[in-house]
Amino acid sequence: MPDYILEMRSITKSFPGVKALADVTFSAQRGEVHAICGENGAGKSTLMKVLSGVYPHGSYGGEILFEGEPCEFSGIRDSERAGIVIIHQELALVPHLSIAENIFLGNERRGRGGLIDWHKTQAEAAELLKAVGLNEEPTTQVGQLGVGKQQLVEIAKALAKDVKLLILDEPTAALNDNDSAHLLDLVRQLQARGITSIIISHKLNEIEATANRTTVIRDGQTVETLDMEAPDVNVDRIVRSMVGRDLESFYPERTPTPGKVVLEVRDWTVRHPQQDRLVVDGASFEVRAGEVVGIAGLMGAGRTELAMSVFGRSYGRFISGQTLMHGKPVAPRTVAEAIGRGLAYVTEDRKQLGLNLLDTITRNISGAALPNLAKWGFVDANLEAKLARHSMDSMRIKAPSVQSVVGKLSGGNQQKVVLSKWLLTGPDVLIIDEPTRGIDVGAKFEIYTLINEFVESGKAVVVISSDLLELLGTCDRIYALSGGRITGEFPASEANEEKLMTLMTKEKEAIG
Amino acid sequence: MTVTAPRGPMGAIAPPPEKNGLGELRLAMTHNLRTSGIYVALVALVALFALITGGASLSAGNVTNIVLQYSYILVLAIGMVIVIIAGHIDLSVGSVVALTGAISAITVIKYDMPWWVGVLAALATGLLIGAWHGFWVAYVGIPAFIVTLAGMLLFRGLTLFVLDNVSLSPFPDEYGVIASGFINGWLGGYGYDVFTLVVFALGVVGFAVSQYRSRKARMGYHQPVPPLSLFALKILAVGVLVMAFAWKLASARGLPVVLIMLAVLIMAYTVMMQHTVFGRQIYAIGGNLAAASLSGVKVRAVNFWIFVNMGLLSAVAGIVFSSRTNGAQPGAGNMFELDAIAAAFIGGAAVTGGVGKVVGAMAGGLIMAVMSNGMQLMGIDQSLQSVVKGLVLLLAVAFDIWNKRRAGAH
Ligand SMILES: Nc1ncnc2c1ncn2[C@@H]1O[C@H](COP(=O)(O)OP(=O)(O)OP(=O)(O)O)[C@@H](O)[C@H]1O
Ligand SMILES: [Mg+2]
């Protein structure tokens, strides 16, 4: 008889118009790393929010047993007291506070008279930072850390609360390979200390490498729990269980037929908006019709900055260089002009930069193309609704209706809304920054197919991604970017992970 | 550039997203209840005061009086809710009401110009002030709270300066028509004005037709609609209430000129906010500034014009107020900004921007108006009135938040 630290039985949870959890049964053994997989909108995050008291007892159906005791959490504080800590899909740190302050936020170390004991706070924070392998001063502001380090701070924060069950909702979605590896290592170390972890992830090879068992959820129901040590369990097996059928490949086939150059960027140089340094340094690249071009680079290499500065100078100062579209020099100085020239840029951060989470699917989809849907400044509501409906069907956006509020959609569906929005502007060149961050395998395939269709109609795509396999799988040509400079270029057929990595980590050479 | 619909490869093979009829209906019901809560509250409040004052609050004279007395707050609330949707605030409108009224009074009373020159001068002043605020907010990037706080002091000071610290009155009779004029007897009537009733009846029919059309359109796109019975009930209730209101006006002095102006403004601004690119961009900016600017919205220009518009509407309110008080006073419009802001928030606007409606703000403004008026009729002390209004604002917003949370964590 296995020793279950957690049992969730027949959990149901509805939102107005959606049944997010229809019947989920889930249990975690003490000391294991248990992965949860499922398509976007399957109900993974909702299940964990039920468990951690974000949705209080009474707002869901079913039964939860933690350490054998029935749980009736009315809030996240209750679950934390019991030893369950959740690290949400969206990080919840306060950027202007120090690492130490963040770690003990809501859990302050007090001294005499109830005042905060700063010495104790700093000392304990330093210890926790050592435990998670983060080499930073406790007094450093969290906002100055990269996402990878912020994740570690979140874990330190969880450790400060005497965690028994740690829930990580897509912890590595925004991390590069190195940071991900470090984080997963840490999870294994915690396991050695007896801490049980639940990890939600769409990166299935990470799950294969880390988890002891994996539960697959589909449409709000448990499909099965797989023992990862069993001989026939691998990524393909999980995928089959997630999507209900075999997926022949992760990347759809396409025969490249490059045509004329659509977008050419020459000697592009961009300064940081506040600091006195170059973020992009003399970068040149070109994209042809019918071609998918990749840009590989580590975090901070200037990938996003390069794209945004080309896209109507929406980033940086003192931009110099030339952009040519269809061979003619153009210099879009505003985003509106860039859109008018046929450029589109899908941001990497859909929540902060891509969507109006308060508004409906329709209005988000029409957001960038609005002037084209209007006559004399009046929006043609019929046309707008028709196009939105069409996008929703063809992109298979899962939502109760086109009038659903975007903030309530799952991550993958939000990404499809952003893509729909930009396709609606009818671009010639579509720049996509991290096209599949936090997106399930099935939807990834759909998005790649969509990219292929788009280039097959004679358009061009630029893909920026931290996932080298994604670049190798989707692109015809790949540029490597390091320290704001293009350090190399490969046809995808000649590239591989090592070659790219070498170029991506190449130090700046002296200008020769 | 042409608009192309995105084509998905899966459209053909994949089934359309699953739809759950019952769920959609429930969604529609909760949605309906939530958005109409404020109107129900308004009706309940009217009934409450009618009961307490033994019907005095519903007398024809008093109903007309409410319209005349609070019209300028409603005009301000239109501009204010737009400012708030965009994620800003305007603390200066009271002072701008005073200054524009003063400019008008000086032009007409001191310099003996015709009344319409005064009106134009006031409007021009309002536009200039709006452009001033817009410049600092949109192009320099100073938060509106600061800019308009400065404006509040600045324009109050200028009012005192141009008026030399004394009141100026009276206006010629034509000027008074703006705030206190009536259209009466155009179609005759026996103790009641037929024209007023006809205008309102047409309005109700127009409302019903447009609601029915939008319902049809929604159904055409398979969007959730309330059941026909609920829909008919809603139209009927609105019709009865509006006609009762019209009857009161008709049996008093007829159709107030300011009410016509107000109706035109409400309709025009509702259309602007819902159906024009400009209006939609205001919601986009308030909802997510960064996303809006990366979608090609000219954020600065939109912010600038929002404040220009607020200046213009403040001038309109200034004209109506000076007309109603038949002169300009150094202290005119004091605290109007707070009434306008309260109206917007009671009407469902979100403090963080991105959410709100012009009609909502009108309902919010009427709630404040009915309350003040009712308490005045009851002879309640000014101090207690202020306490009650403050509590109502707080509770209204608290209720709204509670309501949203309940809808979220079902
Ligand atoms: N607050 C809410 N209101 C309404 N619907 C919601 C809400 N939260 C989630 N949903 C819906 O519940 C379903 C499950 O969402 P959930 O966030 O749990 O998915 P997920 O499995 O975590 O997906 P992803 O991999 O994209 O993060 C989705 O259809 C989503 O639209
Ligand atoms: Mg999720």
Side-chain angles (χ1 to χ4, degrees), chain A residues 321-339:
Chain A
Q322 256 195 320
T323 38
L324 295 91
M325 285 200 74
H326 304 290
K328 286 193 207 85
V330 292
R333 305 195 136 264
T334 64
V335 172
E337 264 181 64
I339 295 173

Side-chain angles (χ1 to χ4, degrees), chain A residues 13-17 54-56 59-60 308 311 314 334-336 339-340 342 345 347 350-359 362-363 366-374 377-379 381-387 389-404 408 420-427 446-447 449-450 453 457, chain B residues 1-28 30-31 34 85 213 217-218 220-224 268 271-298 350 352-357 404-410:
Chain A
K13 167 81 190 162
S14 311
F15 298 104
V54 173
Y55 300 130
S59 70
Y60 58 86
M308 284 179 72
F311 186 59
S314 46
T334 64
V335 172
I339 295 173
Y345 170 67
T347 57
R350 54 184 168 257
K351 289 205 166 159
Q352 301 297 324
L353 304 175
L355 293 166
N356 178 355
L357 296 174
L358 301 172
D359 221 333
T362 307
R363 289 184 168 202
S366 65
L370 212 50
N372 302 330
L373 305 182
F378 286 84
V379 180
N382 285 338
L383 180 62
E384 183 189 28
K386 199 152 73 189
L387 292 174
R389 181 108 223 134
H390 186 89
S391 300
M392 190 155 151
D393 287 346
S394 65
M395 302 281 273
R396 292 215 292 154
I397 297 170
K398 256 209 221 161
S401 97
V402 279
Q403 301 290 4
S404 300
K408 292 184 176 165
S420 307
K421 161 172 154 178
W422 286 108
L423 287 178
L424 203 59
T425 62
E446 287 171 8
I447 285 172
T449 312
L450 216 96
E453 280 220 342
S457 67
Chain B
M1 191 169 58
T2 54
V3 176
T4 51
R7 285 167 301 116
M10 341 72 196
I13 11 165
E18 166 187 14
K19 282 211 306 287
N20 169 347
L22 223 101
E24 284 198 9
L25 181 65
R26 216 175 57 201
L27 186 72
T30 21
H31 181 76
R34 188 139 54 95
I85 290 169
R213 272 215 183 130
R218 285 177 69 89
Y221 294 114
H222 308 284
Q223 286 162 26
V271 169
M272 182 188 93
M273 291 306 281
Q274 299 306 322
H275 299 290
T276 68
V277 174
F278 182 65
R280 301 279 293 273
Q281 291 183 335
I282 295 173
Y283 281 101
I285 288 177
N288 187 342
L289 182 64
S293 81
L294 281 175
S295 301
V297 175
K298 291 178 179 123
T352 45
V355 177
K357 278 201 164 134
K404 275 182 193 138
R405 200 172 293 157
R406 199 185 47 153
H410 199 59

Side-chain angles (χ1 to χ4, degrees), chain A residues 15-16 18-20 38-47 49 55 89 169-170 200 202 398-400 408-413 438 440, chain B residues 407-409:
Chain A
F15 298 104
V18 201
K19 189 146 205 177
E39 299 187 292
N40 294 120
K44 305 177 295 293
S45 298
T46 306
L47 183 68
K49 285 181 185 165
Y55 300 130
Q89 210 161 346
D169 195 350
E170 299 195 34
I200 298 178
H202 292 294
K398 256 209 221 161
K408 292 184 176 165
L409 301 183
S410 74
N413 285 307
D440 71 55

